Structure formats: C-alpha cells, structure tokens
Amino acid sequence: MSRSPKPTVVLVHGAFADASSYAQVIPRLIARGLDVVAPAVPNRSLIGDAAYIASVVRQIPGPVVLVGHSYGGAVITVAGTEDNVQALVYLAGYALEKGESLGELQGRFPDSDLAAALVYTPFPLEGPVGTGTDVSVQPDKFPPIFAADVDRRLTEVLAVSQRPLAAQAFADSAPAAAWKTKPSWGLVASSDHTINPDVQRYGYQRAGMTTVEVDSSHLVMLSRPESVVELIEDAILATSA
C-alpha cells in the first residue's frame, strides 16, 4: 500500500503568546523530517483569525496536520475545514461546537485562576467605529498561572512579551466545527490554571476525539514537548496510510 506524502504540520499559537511557544516542539518535528509552519495569529477576532490561518493552510501544497494550543484550538476548529487538512490536534485547547463562542463554552464550568488576573486595555480601531478592548494577563501572575512548570526566567520574558487577545474573540460564534468531519486528537493539561481542564475534557469528549492527559501547566509545549510531539505523530500515522 502506498502512503500519502508527509503532511506539513501547522502550529497555531494561543492568546497571550506567539509562535515561540512552540520553540521546544519545532526542532523535534524538523528532526523527524517534517515540514513545519508556525504562523503569527493576529489575535483580533475568532472569525478573522480563522480566516487568516485558513489562507495560510490553502497555500501549502499537500496535506496538513493543524495543531492548535489554547485559543488556537478555537481557531483550528474553524480553519480546519480547509480541504487539505487531514487531522486536527488540540493542546489544552477549546474545541467549540458550531455556533458556540469561547465565552459560552467557558461559562459551562467554574472559572480558572486566569479570570482574576486579566487586564483590559482599550485600543484604537480603524475607521469611525471607536475602540476595541485588548485582554492580557498581569505580568506577575503570568508565570504561576500560565507556566508553573517552565523555567521562571523564561516565563518572566513571556509575561512581558505576551500578545493580547481582543475581547471580540471571546464573543464570536464559530461558523463551523471541523472536528465533525476531520479526525481529531486532544491533549488535556491536567494541572492547567489557565483553562479549566474540564473545559478541555468536555470539548474533546463531545467531539469524540482520541484524548491523552498530561500532568502539565497550560504551556505544555514548553513543559512537556515530547508528549506534544508524540500526539502529533500519532495523528500523522493514523491519517497518512
């Protein structure tokens, strides 16, 4: 039996972070002979961010395994409907139902420690529509809430270089749920203080995903990169025959 070409792994980061959150995963994937793309997510709105990631995916020749961390899980839920996406991998992420928003999914469960550490800052919007609201994390709260098991010196850098998420992203309803038609895998970070692990479990179970649990903080890609790579490899092997 012939095998499909190796897929390109597209790594979608979450809120309050950037593509450097995959710094421990990317070299491991490259060492396994995989092509990797780690785009910068605008973090402005779920609809706009998903459209941007979908445009990146469409320009990649051949199959794609789409990986989303945290808010990036919501993004791949929508962008993953692209024809060349062969699998979805969620890392401590939001697996939304069609028509559901981040706020609605989170609202089903008790708040995590993140809720009390958020900062809201106005920013100007183009045109006559006024201002938007950026959401970020208090820098001193970032290390224990986001990455308690990652080197403190690194998390202090991440805390002051975080990319805010526009509040609009919490309100947008997902226009599609790619996990309904694409094979999906999910990693629960069981020591997560950013997204309640039960939010992760609920979304994954509802989607019928193959799921693993890892004792990790929210930034599982930095604290447990081998576990992340193993799950991505599982998705590749299961969908490339």
Side-chain angles (χ1 to χ4, degrees):
M1 180 185 295
S2 63
R3 296 182 67 84
S4 302
K6 282 187 178 180
T8 298
V9 180
V10 177
L11 302 170
V12 180
H13 66 79
F16 323 127
D18 59 24
S20 67
S21 57
Y22 287 103
Q24 295 297 324
V25 170
I26 291 170
R28 288 170 166 83
L29 293 173
I30 291 173
R32 287 161 168 81
L34 294 165
D35 291 329
V36 180
V37 176
V41 182
N43 282 4
R44 298 295 82 190
S45 69
L46 175 58
I47 303 301
D49 293 344
Y52 174 72
I53 294 301
S55 75
V56 172
V57 168
R58 281 196 299 274
Q59 296 175 67
I60 296 173
V64 165
V65 170
L66 197 51
V67 182
H69 173 246
S70 188
Y71 166 67
V75 174
I76 71 169
T77 295
V78 180
T81 58
E82 289 298 312
D83 290 342
N84 59 330
V85 174
Q86 73 178 34
L88 305 171
V89 180
Y90 291 77
L91 306 174
Y94 294 104
L96 298 178
E97 174 61 277
K98 181 179 179 181
E100 184 177 53
S101 69
L102 287 175
E104 288 169 340
L105 176 55
Q106 283 200 147
R108 297 172 184 264
F109 299 90
D111 285 340
S112 70
D113 294 340
L114 176 68
L118 294 176
V119 178
Y120 301 89
T121 309
F123 69 91
L125 296 172
E126 292 184 10
V129 290
T131 60
T133 301
D134 262 343
V135 184
S136 58
V137 184
Q138 294 177 37
D140 63 323
K141 299 289 181 60
F142 187 100
I145 291 176
F146 225 69
D149 52 1
V150 177
D151 183 89
R152 179 77 182 206
R153 292 168 297 180
L154 173 57
T155 60
E156 288 173 347
V157 172
L158 298 176
V160 300
S161 60
Q162 61 182 287
R163 295 186 62 193
L165 179 67
Q168 180 62 42
F170 292 96
D172 282 353
S173 297
W179 49 258
K180 290 180 179 290
T181 57
K182 304 294 174 86
S184 303
W185 282 255
L187 182 151
V188 175
S190 60
S191 295
D192 199 332
H193 290 274
T194 298
I195 298 177
N196 184 332
D198 285 338
V199 173
Q200 303 167 39
R201 295 183 184 106
Y202 175 83
Y204 300 169
Q205 290 166 5
R206 179 173 62 181
M209 292 186 197
T210 301
T211 304
V212 299
E213 298 224 2
V214 176
D215 183 12
S216 168
S217 70
H218 190 59
L219 276 182
V220 63
M221 307 92 73
L222 289 173
S223 66
R224 298 287 296 276
E226 285 294 346
S227 295
V228 170
V229 171
E230 286 172 13
L231 189 63
I232 294 170
E233 286 188 313
D234 287 347
I236 292 171
L237 289 172
T239 58
S240 294

